[in-house]
Amino acid sequence: MAPIALLEARGISKTFGKVRALHRVDFHINPQEIVGLVGDNGAGKSTLIKILTGVYPPDEGEIYFQGHRVHFSSPKDARALGIETVYQDLALIEQMSIARNFFLGSEIVRRLGILPLLDSRAMEATTEEVLRGLGITSLRSADEEVRVLSGGERQAIAIGRTLHFGAKLLILDEPTSALSIVETQKVLGYIQEAKRRGLSVIFITHNLYHVYPVADRIVVLEHGKKVGDLRKEEASLEDIVNMIAYGGTQA
Amino acid sequence: MTKSAEIKQVAPPARKRDLWRRALGAREVGVLIALVAVIGVFSVLNRNFLTVDTFGDILTQAAELGIAAVGVTFLMIAGEFDLSVGSNFAVAGVMLALLTTRLGWSPFLSIPLVLAAATSVGFLNGVITLGTRIPSFITTLGTMMFWRGIALAITGGWPIYVLGSSRMLDLLGGMAIYQTVRISALWWLIITLIFWLLLVRTPYGNWTFATGGKPEAARALGVPVGRVKLTNFALAGMLAGFAGFTQFGRMGSMSPVWGDGLPLEAIAAAVIGGTSLMGGAGTILGTVLGAITMASIRVGLIMVGAPSYWYTAFLGAVIVVAVILNVRLGEMMTWRR
Ligand SMILES: Nc1ncnc2c1ncn2[C@@H]1O[C@H](COP(=O)(O)OP(=O)(O)OP(=O)(O)O)[C@@H](O)[C@H]1O
Ligand SMILES: [Mg+2]
């Protein structure tokens, strides 16, 4: 009676030369679910995500989106389905304003004859609305440059952008690794808000403590294999910590 | 209505201080200070400096540089350089002179044709740079020499003179529109307005900033980074060619050796005006003020009777001071938040 997964990968393997980065990994995420993807350095987290977003093709395995088999030949294909990835560098441009970053590549324009003119007021108003909706309280104006913002505020822009442009699945690679505790808490809030708005979120991290409070499910990778896949109701934080420490054998 | 109330709630500092901060944070502050200082110095040295006639002279002197610098600014914001604008300027001026005088072609045919050629020269810079991934500072150093050679070759190194005046020359640069202000300054104004609009009010301008600011990020969001750069190379070529036309119109002759200082002067005008050498930041107004500052130095030194080689030294000093001001003010603004 499981719902149709939003995105499902079956039997994914990937090797780079002699390195077996992933070995027969099954992974899925349901609609409106937050999945924490954890594991040590080199466990294969980023590789799995790159396969799910069309950066690399898998050597083996299949990907299904809402029950249909898909073949991604580039990240564009994945984005077209509403799969958005926010990498650590966030794809934000420091010297540009918040609103211009927010709408980069999808600007709101009014036409003056043949000339498309930016509707700055609309872009700023929308940006402020979306960011406040996510729970940002410190925003002064969307026409400030991104370089004056804190790490958490930057995350909010990247998250808000995917929310506004209709993504279904948001993938965050180590969103909190460079943030203070307070900023991390804020970002966790934005992620929960994104879920409330109907998004699914894959949250990749080294730090289980960052993802545990918000995750519905935790998937643990180790040396390219999936060693754990636990719903939060089924496992305490301690169980998962043990699983990471001793590998899949304890679970 | 609730929105403005909300904004006030979370951002209590008075609007006045914000305005102040914004004004001081504007990229043009450095060049404004430099310009005021230059005008101040020359006004003290020569009481005739602060007159309408002198200002007209300055605008006229600044026009060709200003026109080329607009294109260079776009290109620099997109993260690239064009050192060949001076050669392109010379080839375009010389070609227009040859076609209309020696060959007797109609200006209505020659002008679009040569302008298209100048645009292609710029475009070619882009193709070479992006195709080889060699920095544009190097590729356009090569094309700078190449096109200068072509200009010299087609003229045998001699200037081309036009006997008498013509409607075309008048309209391109010869005609005075107000006292000492030539029509070339009007062209500069028109071009500045169009390109200012393009830069700050259109998606294309936004993409140009993004392309120079962080190309990978821009690409990830679907900005056609390569096309944006190519277009800006082409625009820089077109404006360099047009600057060649106004020079030809203003002087009534065109020499294949003119414009050899133009590339670095254009970069200097942009940088004095707050455009970043690293790409991603800059303003058209800043570049306009930069060009005016440079022309003021040139005219001012002539008026105080200084030998012309002082121009270069003085200009060098102003560039350094303006850039320091720009960097310091920029830091201060980030830090004060
Ligand atoms: N493009 C590549 N070429 C060669 N080897 C690679 C490549 N990408 C990843 N690997 C290797 O595959 C393994 C898994 O790497 P991956 O980046 O997926 O790990 P990760 O779990 O994201 O680690 P981290 O926590 O350090 O980000 C590592 O051994 C890594 O060295
Ligand atoms: Mg990784």
Side-chain angles (χ1 to χ4, degrees), chain B residues 1-296:
Chain B
M1 29 124 240
T2 48
K3 172 161 287 124
S4 64
E6 230 174 83
I7 293 173
K8 267 185 203 126
Q9 219 172 33
V10 287
R15 274 198 96 80
K16 216 181 222 165
R17 224 199 68 189
D18 258 23
L19 272 178
W20 210 183
R21 199 174 59 87
R22 258 155 182 277
L24 273 179
R27 298 197 80 84
E28 295 88 357
V29 173
V31 65
L32 257 180
I33 295 174
L35 181 57
V36 168
V38 166
I39 291 175
V41 168
F42 286 118
S43 307
V44 171
L45 292 177
N46 186 328
R47 304 187 56 198
N48 289 328
F49 187 81
L50 217 53
T51 60
V52 174
D53 270 10
T54 307
F55 194 63
D57 251 355
I58 290 172
L59 288 184
T60 301
Q61 291 278 331
E64 278 92 31
L65 167 62
I67 290 169
V70 166
V72 168
T73 302
F74 258 75
L75 196 52
M76 284 175 67
I77 294 173
E80 300 288 347
F81 292 96
D82 186 354
L83 294 179
S84 72
V85 288
S87 308
N88 202 349
F89 162 97
V91 171
V94 159
M95 285 216 334
L96 184 65
L98 279 175
L99 291 180
T100 52
T101 60
R102 304 267 163 89
L103 302 183
W105 287 21
S106 148
F108 291 105
L109 179 63
S110 315
I111 289 181
L113 202 72
V114 178
L115 204 57
T119 310
S120 312
V121 166
F123 186 76
L124 188 66
N125 284 330
V127 171
I128 297 172
T129 305
L130 301 183
T132 60
R133 294 168 184 240
I134 296 170
S136 47
F137 224 90
I138 307 299
T139 54
T140 60
L141 182 67
T143 56
M144 168 183 102
M145 292 157 102
F146 179 81
W147 293 110
R148 180 65 66 187
I150 297 292
L152 291 165
I154 56 183
T155 55
W158 296 96
I160 296 163
Y161 295 97
V162 180
L163 302 174
S165 69
S166 76
R167 194 98 197 104
M168 176 188 74
L169 292 179
D170 277 353
L171 283 179
L172 282 178
M175 188 198 283
I177 49 171
Y178 177 76
Q179 311 230 1
T180 49
V181 184
R182 300 286 192 98
I183 195 168
S184 50
L186 181 64
W187 287 120
W188 179 28
L189 176 68
I190 292 169
I191 286 168
T192 296
L193 288 176
I194 293 173
F195 279 79
W196 168 78
L197 195 73
L198 196 60
L199 187 62
V200 302
R201 312 276 334 154
T202 70
Y204 181 74
N206 212 31
W207 297 358
T208 295
F209 279 110
T211 295
K214 206 193 238 180
E216 328 79 57
R219 201 174 285 121
L221 290 170
V223 174
V225 168
R227 263 195 357 240
V228 168
K229 287 194 174 187
L230 271 181
T231 308
N232 281 324
F233 271 111
L235 290 176
M238 184 179 83
L239 291 178
F242 191 81
F245 294 174
T246 63
Q247 174 96 358
F248 173 48
R250 184 161 71 84
M251 310 302 279
S253 65
M254 189 69 204
S255 163
V257 300
W258 284 347
D260 64 337
L262 188 63
L264 291 182
E265 287 191 357
I267 291 174
V271 169
I272 292 174
T275 296
S276 163
L277 281 166
M278 322 297 283
T283 68
I284 296 294
L285 176 61
T287 298
V288 167
L289 293 174
I292 292 176
T293 305
M294 291 168 66
S296 304

Side-chain angles (χ1 to χ4, degrees), chain A residues 14-17 19-22 38-50 56 173-174 204-206 221 224:
Chain A
K14 181 84 186 171
T15 50
F16 296 103
V19 181
R20 199 166 69 179
L22 291 175
V38 299
D40 251 333
N41 285 102
K45 305 181 295 290
S46 297
T47 306
L48 178 60
I49 288 319
K50 284 180 178 159
Y56 307 133
D173 198 347
E174 305 268 0
I204 303 167
T205 179
H206 281 99
L221 287 184

